[in-house]
Amino acid sequence: MSQTEKSQAAAAPAAARKQPTQQRSRERVERMLEAAAALIAEKGSDALKMGEVAERAGVPIGSLYQFFPDKSAIILTLAERYNALSRECIGEGLADVRDMAGLERAFTELVDTYYEMFLAEPVMRDIWSGTQADKALRENELADSRIIGGMLADVLMRLHREGDREEIATTAFLIMSLGEATMRLAISVTREEGQAIVDAYKRMVLREMLAL
Amino acid sequence: MSQTEKSQAAAAPAAARKQPTQQRSRERVERMLEAAAALIAEKGSDALKMGEVAERAGVPIGSLYQFFPDKSAIILTLAERYNALSRECIGEGLADVRDMAGLERAFTELVDTYYEMFLAEPVMRDIWSGTQADKALRENELADSRIIGGMLADVLMRLHREGDREEIATTAFLIMSLGEATMRLAISVTREEGQAIVDAYKRMVLREMLAL
DNA sequence: CACAAATATGAGTAATCCTCATATTTGCAA
DNA sequence: TTGCAAATATGAGGATTACTCATATTTGTG
């Protein structure tokens, strides 16, 4: 909730170039990102070429490098926008969980929503399936897992006041990280098998959260 | 066991160039792979350059392309060798499981051994942490997960004769696939946290296998 | 020994990321 | 308004590197 604002700051690429301060350039940067997203949707992020992004955005190639230190920074920015949205959803979904039944409901719905989001968003799907390609993207995903793992840990500690806090924290981190892996797996097979996999993940995780 | 031989065939790259038939060339190919492995251990597979592999192996660059269609084919061949070894270990470890206690013992030992193997083998670790980078590698890992998932499913069906066979198969596949994801996660954090994560994975999966 | 198939070779091609020197625009203080 | 520093714009070209291909050599075999 109040983390939503902070996530904007986290969106800044690690080795950033200048942040656009003037309005004109902010609009241009937006056009660059839109162009990149469109090209990824069409041909996949592997085939993303800086020259094409520039052409599509209607800017010379030099302007791209004015705001993005390299190609992966563009992809990272797009990825982080999706991650920020996800974090917000997860935070909201978990916010008013008061008991185990509530957690079960919230978790099930979050996972299903997440899966459908992946199916519906070709750009997100593409970036994620190849997310492990780039070191910066891997680190970003790891950081994201830690944040949402922390959210889940908070809830679990509220529900299991006597449990081992270290163990709960580690397990929550693992659950969220494996959730991302499950999505990657589910979107790389048929829709039918993907759904079965997502269901199996939910079953396993819910059992674990109950037993912790 | 009898699958060990078959895995040799699976090692052939998808879009293969000529297979070396003469002894001389087989030795040269071996030198190329050794050179690639050494360079990956030193600088990581991202930084692997075909020119360097050729130089290190003492062959002209053209010879590399005589047997490998492209760079990722070299990495894929190395990856598949490790996978074949892993499959063999897993097959042996699960072969004589007769009851739940035996499965628990075998699974725990396999996971721990696997984790230590990753820690000890820089080449394997490097290839795996970036495995999702390349489409061919991703597909190879998926195929591997299906095979070892099938092995686990066999065992689980033996132990749970009344269980839903579809559900067991899907869960076994998911468990193995998430095992690979867990390794990737564990090797990207400190040794201590990695061990905690591996332990949490074992706990969760064992609970699930018991309850299926 | 002859000859086809396999292998060897490495200079050159093509693709693409990214730089950088220079030109232009913007916001703002005097 | 005007002057000026900082921000932004520009695109030809440098640098890297995967991969090709025409040609030369070696190998197994009838």
Side-chain angles (χ1 to χ4, degrees), chain A residues 142-175:
Chain A
L142 191 65
D144 193 69
S145 295
R146 285 202 190 277
I147 295 175
I148 60 179
M151 294 180 186
L152 178 60
D154 284 347
V155 173
L156 287 172
M157 286 180 192
R158 251 190 281 146
L159 299 186
H160 295 287
R161 294 206 178 272
E162 71 299 342
D164 178 340
R165 300 178 79 77
E166 279 288 320
E167 187 177 314
I168 290 177
T170 300
T171 302
F173 176 37
L174 179 68
I175 285 172

Side-chain angles (χ1 to χ4, degrees), chain A residues 33-105:
Chain A
L33 288 170
E34 277 165 26
L39 287 166
I40 288 172
E42 283 171 24
K43 305 195 247 170
S45 52
D46 285 347
L48 190 68
K49 281 161 209 164
M50 294 301 265
E52 287 184 9
V53 174
E55 191 187 18
R56 182 87 150 226
V59 302
I61 189 147
S63 292
L64 273 183
Y65 287 93
Q66 201 75 240
F67 302 102
F68 299 99
D70 53 33
K71 184 163 71 165
S72 78
I74 296 182
I75 299 175
L76 183 61
T77 302
L78 290 173
E80 179 48 32
R81 287 188 176 188
Y82 282 115
N83 285 348
L85 281 178
S86 302
R87 280 198 297 273
E88 203 175 345
C89 284
I90 292 170
E92 283 172 16
L94 294 180
D96 50 346
V97 167
R98 305 269 167 238
D99 52 19
M100 210 55 218
L103 178 57
E104 179 162 349
R105 247 180 291 122

